[in-house]
Amino acid sequence: MPGVLAAYAAAITPDDPLAGLEIGERPAPEPPAGWAIVNVKTAALNHHDLWSLRGVGLAEDQLPMILGCDAAGTDEDGNEVVVHSVITSDSWRGDDTLDPRRSLLSERYQGALAEHVAVPKRNLLPKPPELSFEHAACLPTAWLTAYRMLFTRGAVVPGMTVLVQGAGGGVATALVVLASAAGARVWVTSRSENKREQALGLGADQTFEPGARLPERVDAVMETVGNATWGHSMRSLKPGGTLVVSGATSGDASPAELARVFFLQLSVVGSTMGTRDELERLICFCLERDIRPTIQAQMPLADARAGFQALLDGDVVGKIVFSV
Ligand SMILES: NC(=O)c1ccc[n+]([C@@H]2O[C@H](COP(=O)([O-])OP(=O)(O)OC[C@H]3O[C@@H](n4cnc5c(N)ncnc54)[C@H](OP(=O)(O)O)[C@@H]3O)[C@@H](O)[C@H]2O)c1
């Protein structure tokens, strides 16, 4: 069986994640019964891929592992599909994200940064023709995570004020666009003046330097940064407000600010990825509101190392996608 071109983790190197990254040939996937092969047209990069190379969620004995959670392409019958990356156990019923045995592509099963990826058939959603493969490939991780954070876990409704910590990231840009399209007032922090400027173009109402005093307290904060912004997030919430957290790029947060949590009756809510149904609704929302993910760069999969380097350098606004 001929191999496939893939971007994969060949070694775990926590302090120098790109040292373990290889772009080269891997065996073509052999799908078990009930799984499908997707001919990947476009795959998207996520911070998750850097975590994997650092050994977070991926162990040495699972290597080599093809990276990547996000793909859009065609199935064996030529249908255009988007891949839902949350792989649940066969017997699981209910919210996909609550299955204790769930994994994302590239954690237990080979990932999407490849010419072909194998996934359970139930993880395929039709790709509407109005949505390009490039835009579709951005939705299943960063955009789905943002959707669930805002609307399912954060219960954000029109008229609320939402603070998004970080402006440039895949999840952060999605949060800004989706919250704004849903009628929320969106405030954003970023370390970079250029990214703050770009956040305004995506729909933010006001932007701030990290840690800045806000004009007033907010209804909800969306956190993916962790330690660097946690204190500011807690101080920014009005009584009864909600902090939704789905990531900790800068590390675990300390202190937890427990006195604020109980005295102001704050809700601290975890969120992870999203269900197949939520991905379906996200796709509808994007079509209805003519929303398309921000793509900073598109490059051939063979040149994926440059995309990983840009993400590692924090030099990105929106998504990096690879054409396959
Ligand atoms: N739980 C889940 O299901 C799930 C899903 C998706 C992502 N995540 C996690 O969420 C995080 C963001 O993912 P992503 O793909 O959006 O990553 P990304 O594209 O690399 O974005 C990183 C973000 O962090 C912000 N940031 C602010 N201060 C930072 C600091 N001191 N150090 C590092 N970053 C800082 C950046 O904002 P500025 O550069 O504008 O300041 C940027 O918005 C990652 O940790 C990822 O693993 C979790």
Side-chain angles (χ1 to χ4, degrees):
M1 189 110 172
V4 292
L5 179 68
Y8 63 96
I12 301 289
T13 45
D15 298 329
D16 181 12
L18 268 50
L21 173 68
E22 297 278 347
I23 320 288
E25 200 151 297
R26 294 295 309 145
E30 289 179 26
W35 287 48
I37 296 280
V38 175
N39 297 308
V40 179
K41 298 273 189 202
T42 310
L45 184 61
N46 288 288
H47 210 97
H48 183 272
D49 301 308
L50 291 176
W51 288 125
S52 301
L53 289 163
R54 290 185 194 276
V56 178
L58 186 64
E60 201 81 48
D61 61 7
Q62 294 167 282
L63 302 182
M65 176 63 82
I66 299 175
L67 297 165
C69 304
D70 289 342
T74 53
D75 68 9
E76 288 128 309
D77 299 322
N79 301 307
E80 298 189 345
V81 293
V82 186
V83 173
H84 180 221
S85 181
V86 181
I87 315 290
T88 56
S89 35
D90 286 342
S91 58
W92 180 256
R93 297 291 174 271
D95 186 322
D96 304 318
T97 64
L98 297 180
D99 176 4
R101 291 192 46 75
R102 76 186 183 278
S103 68
L104 301 187
L105 284 175
S106 79
E107 291 178 351
R108 193 173 305 145
Y109 305 105
Q110 298 291 323
L113 297 185
E115 287 171 297
H116 296 158
V117 61
V119 292
K121 285 184 180 157
R122 63 177 180 273
N123 283 63
L124 297 183
L125 282 83
K127 180 189 82 62
E130 305 93 306
L131 206 56
S132 68
F133 286 108
E134 290 76 21
H135 288 134
C138 298
L139 298 181
T141 297
W143 277 66
L144 179 59
T145 299
Y147 181 95
R148 183 174 172 92
M149 288 174 78
L150 287 166
F151 306 125
T152 308
R153 306 293 286 155
V156 167
V157 293
M160 280 187 172
T161 302
V162 177
L163 174 66
V164 177
Q165 295 285 17
V171 179
T173 50
L175 286 165
V176 173
V177 173
L178 293 173
S180 161
R185 181 165 64 158
V186 184
W187 292 351
V188 182
T189 69
S190 176
R191 300 164 293 176
S192 139
E193 194 179 340
N194 170 41
K195 291 183 190 174
R196 290 197 294 272
E197 191 65 34
Q198 293 200 53
L200 293 172
L202 292 176
D205 295 281
Q206 260 184 279
T207 63
F208 304 89
E209 292 185 13
R213 192 184 177 84
L214 303 178
E216 62 188 70
R217 294 204 167 123
V218 302
D219 298 288
V221 180
M222 301 294 133
E223 253 293 349
T224 60
V225 179
N227 192 42
T229 51
W230 186 262
H232 182 244
S233 293
M234 295 302 271
R235 288 193 303 277
S236 298
L237 281 170
K238 58 172 67 157
T242 301
L243 189 162
V244 185
V245 55
S246 75
T249 309
S250 62
D252 205 350
S254 170
E257 309 267 0
L258 291 178
R260 273 180 190 279
V261 172
F262 66 75
F263 193 65
L264 297 179
Q265 301 186 71
L266 305 179
S267 300
V268 177
V269 176
S271 191
T272 204
M273 297 294 287
T275 64
R276 189 187 191 285
D277 290 348
E278 285 167 330
L279 181 54
E280 219 168 347
R281 287 201 290 272
L282 167 62
I283 291 171
C284 284
F285 190 43
C286 288
L287 293 185
E288 280 301 316
R289 296 299 168 105
D290 206 18
I291 291 168
R292 297 294 181 270
T294 305
I295 295 176
Q296 152 132 356
Q298 177 170 1
M299 56 195 76
L301 180 61
D303 299 337
R305 182 171 293 277
F308 276 80
Q309 186 68 56
L311 193 69
L312 183 64
D313 295 343
D315 196 12
V316 179
V317 175
K319 300 293 296 173
I320 292 174
V321 299
F322 303 125
S323 29
V324 183

